[in-house]
């Protein structure tokens, strides 16, 4: 496959996956409005992204094409050629390492045990292993926002869109947006963690019982 075709396939599949990612991150940032709001919005979104042809075809299909193109291009790239995309690539490989485990831990529970994590599932994870899950969600989401944000700008350029970003990488506006996102994300995690307001007992739900082995 030509490099040009690979670049376009990677950009196109990235834009498709970004539709889910943007919705998913917006859903996460709504946690400070309470469990009912978070779960309510997630339920509406889920009706779309867990529709089998959407979930398998568009969501995971686009993710696999995107990662596959990345791997094919990495194999062709001369060693040591870092350049402007170095952090784009590093954040991308970090996401590859995390996203499949995350999908298994969340979607796997609902597929195999009919247990949807929801707000209480995230609250449980932060209560269960705070030293791991706070930095994990922060790093995961910031990598996704950086990689996804830069990726959308570059993909729009590839498909002939307006020059959105600065000459290289995120413009000043992009860095400001990333900073604001980081603050909103931290507030959302503090909401899940029961720091902003009282949350239901994080150990008393089906998702927690599934992970602590107390049966479902
Ligand atoms: C703090 C950050 C995050 C939280 C709290 C979170 C939470 C969740 C939850 C609760 C689900 C289950 C959704 C449902 O049952 O409908 C889920 C699924 C998923 N998440 Fe995340 N997520 C986060 C970040 C991310 C990021 C950054 C990505 C991608 C780069 C991602 C990719 C996915 C995918 C692919 C699924 C499976 C969707 C499905 O097939 O239903 N998540 N996540």
């Amino acid at each position: 496959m030509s490099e040009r075709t690979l670049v376009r396939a990677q950009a196109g599949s990235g834009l498709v996956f970004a539709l889910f990612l943007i919705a998913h991150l917006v859903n996460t940032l709504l946690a400070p409005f309470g469990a009912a709001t978070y779960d309510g919005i997630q339920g509406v979104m889920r009706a779309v992204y867990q529709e089998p042809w959407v979930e398998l075809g568009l969501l995971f299909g686009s993710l696999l094409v995107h990662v596959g193109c990345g791997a094919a291009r990495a194999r062709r790239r001369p060693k040591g050629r870092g350049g402007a995309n170095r952090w784009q690539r590093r954040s991308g490989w970090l996401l590859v390492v995390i996203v499949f485990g995350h999908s298994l831990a969340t979607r796997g529970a609902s597929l195999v045990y009919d247990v949807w994590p929801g707000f209480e599932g995230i609250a449980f994870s932060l209560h269960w292993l705070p030293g791991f899950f706070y930095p994990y969600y922060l790093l995961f989401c910031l990598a996704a926002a950086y990689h996804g944000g830069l990726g959308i700008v570059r993909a729009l350029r590839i498909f002939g869109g307006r020059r959105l970003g600065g000459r290289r990488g995120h413009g000043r506006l992009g860095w400001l947006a990333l900073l604001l996102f980081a603050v909103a994300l931290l507030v959302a995690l503090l909401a899940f963690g029961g720091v902003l307001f009282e949350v239901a007992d994080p150990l008393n739900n089906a998702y927690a019982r599934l992970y602590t082995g107390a049966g479902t």
Side-chain angles (χ1 to χ4, degrees):
M1 205 183 274
S2 73
E3 180 66 8
R4 185 172 182 280
T5 308
L6 272 178
V7 167
R8 296 173 78 82
Q10 191 171 28
S13 57
L15 284 177
V16 172
F17 186 77
L19 295 174
F20 164 79
L21 182 61
I22 292 166
H24 195 49
L25 294 182
V26 167
N27 187 196
T28 302
L29 297 185
L30 291 173
F33 295 97
T37 303
Y38 175 84
D39 289 339
I41 302 279
Q42 192 164 87
V44 172
M45 292 180 177
R46 181 188 295 147
V48 176
Y49 64 68
Q50 286 188 0
E51 186 61 37
W53 69 270
V54 175
E55 188 171 29
L56 294 173
L58 296 183
L59 204 165
F60 287 104
S62 64
L63 186 59
L64 291 175
V65 169
H66 191 72
V67 174
C69 292
R73 295 182 64 204
R75 256 210 318 275
R76 293 173 180 195
R77 191 174 302 117
K79 282 281 162 285
R81 265 287 299 283
N85 298 353
R86 180 175 298 154
W87 284 105
Q88 173 73 345
R89 285 199 294 275
R90 286 179 179 162
S91 57
W93 291 120
L94 175 72
L95 289 167
V96 171
V97 171
I98 302 179
V99 74
F100 295 107
H102 172 71
S103 306
L104 210 58
T106 54
R107 184 59 175 125
S110 55
L111 267 177
V112 180
Y113 300 100
D114 266 343
V115 173
W116 273 262
F119 187 104
E120 60 188 18
I122 306 303
F124 159 71
S125 64
L126 292 168
H127 176 84
W128 189 39
L129 295 169
F132 173 78
F133 278 105
Y134 275 103
Y136 161 89
Y137 287 129
L138 274 172
L139 190 65
F140 186 26
C141 271
L142 288 177
Y146 177 84
H147 184 88
L150 199 54
I152 291 168
V153 170
R154 293 204 164 126
L156 291 178
R157 256 195 232 138
I158 288 166
F159 294 116
R162 228 168 24 85
R163 272 183 85 77
L164 290 178
R167 210 170 61 72
R168 295 178 82 176
H170 279 284
R172 208 167 293 134
L173 205 60
W175 286 115
L176 181 63
L178 200 63
L179 182 65
L180 291 174
F181 174 78
V183 173
L185 177 64
L186 191 58
V187 174
L189 291 179
L190 294 176
F192 283 120
V195 179
L196 289 191
F197 45 77
E198 186 134 352
V199 297
D201 176 1
L203 292 174
N204 184 17
N205 59 71
Y207 192 78
R209 287 188 286 274
L210 190 63
Y211 277 81
T212 56
T216 50

